[in-house]
Amino acid sequence: MKTIIAWAAVALGFGTMAPAAPPQTPPQPQPPAQAENIAPRQLAIVPTIAATPAPKADKAEARSAYLLAYFKDETHSLHFATSPDGYSFTDVNGGEPVLRGRAVADQQGIRDPHIMRGPDGAFYMSMTDLHIFAEREGLRTTQWERPEKDYGWGNNRNMLFMKSHDLLHWTLAKVDIAALFPAYRNAGNAWAPETIYDPAKKRMMVYFTTRMGNGPNYMVYAYADPAFTTLTTVPKQILYYPRPAVNTIDADITKIGGKYRMFYVAHEKPGSIKQAVSTRIDGGYAFDPRKVDPENVAAEAPNLWRRHGTDTYVLMYDVFGVKPNNMGFAETTDFQTFRDIGRFNDPGSRMKATNFSQPKHGTVMAITPAEADRLRGWFAR
C-alpha cells in the first residue's frame, strides 16, 4: 500500500520529481502499476449481514454450477474455485486467497474450510484456526500454540464460524470450546468443523474433531446459535470406533434418502477413508471396516457431492500421501463401489484445475450460474 501511495503522490505532483528531460527527447510512456503493488480483493468481513438482502429462494434444480472452497499449505488461507460442469475448476482470484488467514485467525492461518447452504438460503462456512508453519514463518516463537507433550501435534483453540447471504459479505466469529464448556477445558484441538442442518431440531449442527490433551482424536457434534457465532450445547461424541486408541478425524455427513452417510478418516496403517451409516443425524453410525477410497497412499478430508441432475455422487479427498499433494476423486451411485476418476490434472483424468495447484482439504457446494458469476465479478480486476 505504501508503494501505491508513493507512486500516486509522484504522479499527482505531490512528491519529488526527477529533472525534466531535454526538449528534443520524446516523452517516455509510464509503466503500468505492477501487479504486486495492487492488493488483491478479499471477501468482506462485516459485523452483520442484515444489510445484505436475504437470498432469493431458488430451486435446487437451478444449482447447476459448483463452488470449491479449499486452502493451501503455502498460504494457510481460504481459496475459491468455480466450475460450470463439476469437472473443470477455475480459481476466482487467479490462485490468490479470497480471505487471508493472517487477517482472521488467532494463529494467522486457516485450514479445512467447509461451506454449505442452509434451509434459510444463507451460506455457512467453518474453518480451523491453525497455522502449522507459524514458527518457521516468524509468526510465533514456538512450534505450536501450546506444548506438544501436553496438547499434541497441531494443537489449536479456535474454530472460525462465518455466515453470508451473498457469498461476498461474511460475519466472522471465533469459537473456543475450552472457554465455552468446562468439560473441554483441556481440549487439545478443534479441527475440521463441518455444518449440517438438523431437521428435527431445526438447528445447524456442527461436528468436528477434538481430543483431550494429547490423547487420541475423536469426533463430536454440537448445535450453533441462529447467527452462527457460537455453540450452545456441550459437544458429544458422534462416532464410536471399535478401537478407541485409533485417531478418527475429518467427518463429512450427507443425508441421502432416509440415511445419513458419514465419510471419515481412521488412522490405521496407513490412514484411509471409511464410511459409516445411520438413520440418525447425531449418532448410531454403524462401523464398516472397508476402505472406500481407491488410493494406494494416504488420503484424508473426504467430501461428498452430487453431480447436477444425476444420481452420481463424487467422493473428493485430499491425497496428502503424494508429493506434491493433490485432490482425488471417485464416483458412486450405490455407495458400495467407488470408481476412481483420477486426480486433478492427472493424465487421463477429466478432473481439471485450470489455474491453481496443490489444493487441500476442500468442500464442493452446488451453486447457481448467477452466484458463480457474482463471485467471479467480485474478484475480477
Side-chain angles (χ1 to χ4, degrees), residues 191-205:
W191 289 347
E194 294 199 7
T195 307
I196 187 172
Y197 180 68
D198 184 337
K201 292 188 170 60
K202 294 180 168 48
R203 299 180 68 183
M204 305 306 291
M205 188 183 94

Side-chain angles (χ1 to χ4, degrees), residues 23-236:
Q24 67 274 22
T25 305
Q28 300 298 307
Q30 294 294 317
Q34 297 299 305
E36 58 265 29
N37 292 337
I38 302 173
R41 195 160 195 180
Q42 300 282 282
L43 299 176
I45 302 300
V46 294
T48 176
I49 55 174
T52 57
K56 295 180 180 179
D58 59 45
K59 295 182 179 179
E61 291 79 7
R63 300 169 194 164
S64 60
Y66 305 81
L67 172 62
L68 166 63
Y70 67 98
F71 86 99
K72 299 184 72 168
D73 266 342
E74 65 184 81
T75 65
H76 270 75
S77 296
L78 176 67
H79 296 253
F80 278 171
T82 60
S83 172
D85 59 8
Y87 291 99
S88 179
F89 287 81
T90 299
D91 191 286
V92 301
N93 205 19
E96 293 295 317
V98 297
L99 188 64
R100 296 193 179 279
R102 295 195 183 195
V104 296
D106 280 359
Q107 291 205 24
Q108 301 188 61
I110 67 93
R111 301 175 70 86
D112 319 326
H114 178 266
I115 188 169
M116 59 87 69
R117 189 193 306 259
D120 56 354
F123 301 98
Y124 296 81
M125 186 157 55
S126 54
M127 300 180 285
T128 305
D129 183 334
L130 172 63
H131 199 312
I132 68 170
F133 303 130
E135 182 182 27
R136 185 183 74 186
E137 295 186 11
L139 302 176
R140 62 173 172 249
T141 58
T142 57
Q143 183 179 12
W144 304 116
E145 193 172 52
R146 294 169 291 174
E148 183 173 359
K149 66 180 180 63
D150 298 321
Y151 295 97
W153 183 96
N155 64 73
N156 75 311
R157 299 178 186 275
N158 296 334
M159 297 178 288
L160 302 180
F161 287 6
M162 302 176 69
K163 186 176 180 180
S164 175
H165 283 158
D166 61 4
L167 292 171
L168 307 177
H169 302 82
W170 296 83
T171 57
L172 171 69
K174 297 174 182 177
V175 181
D176 180 351
I177 60 170
L180 285 172
F181 306 110
Y184 286 85
R185 62 181 178 273
N186 195 42
N189 62 350
W191 289 347
E194 294 199 7
T195 307
I196 187 172
Y197 180 68
D198 184 337
K201 292 188 170 60
K202 294 180 168 48
R203 299 180 68 183
M204 305 306 291
M205 188 183 94
V206 181
Y207 52 99
F208 55 96
T209 300
T210 192
R211 62 176 174 251
M212 288 296 106
N214 193 13
N217 294 299
Y218 60 97
M219 298 173 295
V220 298
Y221 74 95
Y223 288 90
D225 66 318
F228 205 56
T229 60
T230 191
L231 295 176
T232 60
T233 63
V234 178
K236 297 179 180 179

Side-chain angles (χ1 to χ4, degrees), residues 322-339:
V322 295
K323 303 300 179 187
N325 64 276
N326 201 347
M327 290 291 195
F329 303 87
E331 289 183 337
T332 187
T333 56
D334 60 6
F335 296 95
Q336 299 299 314
T337 57
F338 293 81
R339 183 174 66 90

Side-chain angles (χ1 to χ4, degrees), residues 294-374:
E295 300 291 335
N296 55 15
V297 295
E300 62 183 7
N303 175 241
L304 188 74
W305 46 279
R306 185 174 67 89
R307 292 208 180 277
H308 177 70
T310 76
D311 292 325
T312 298
Y313 286 81
V314 180
L315 181 66
M316 179 177 74
Y317 37 84
D318 180 345
V319 190
F320 70 96
V322 295
K323 303 300 179 187
N325 64 276
N326 201 347
M327 290 291 195
F329 303 87
E331 289 183 337
T332 187
T333 56
D334 60 6
F335 296 95
Q336 299 299 314
T337 57
F338 293 81
R339 183 174 66 90
D340 186 3
I341 60 170
R343 304 170 188 157
F344 270 143
N345 300 333
D346 273 1
S349 173
R350 292 185 65 187
M351 303 304 299
K352 305 296 181 186
T354 67
N355 63 347
F356 63 99
S357 61
Q358 294 183 253
K360 288 191 65 63
H361 200 131
T363 312
V364 170
M365 177 182 70
I367 59 174
T368 66
E371 289 167 338
D373 289 344
R374 185 167 65 228

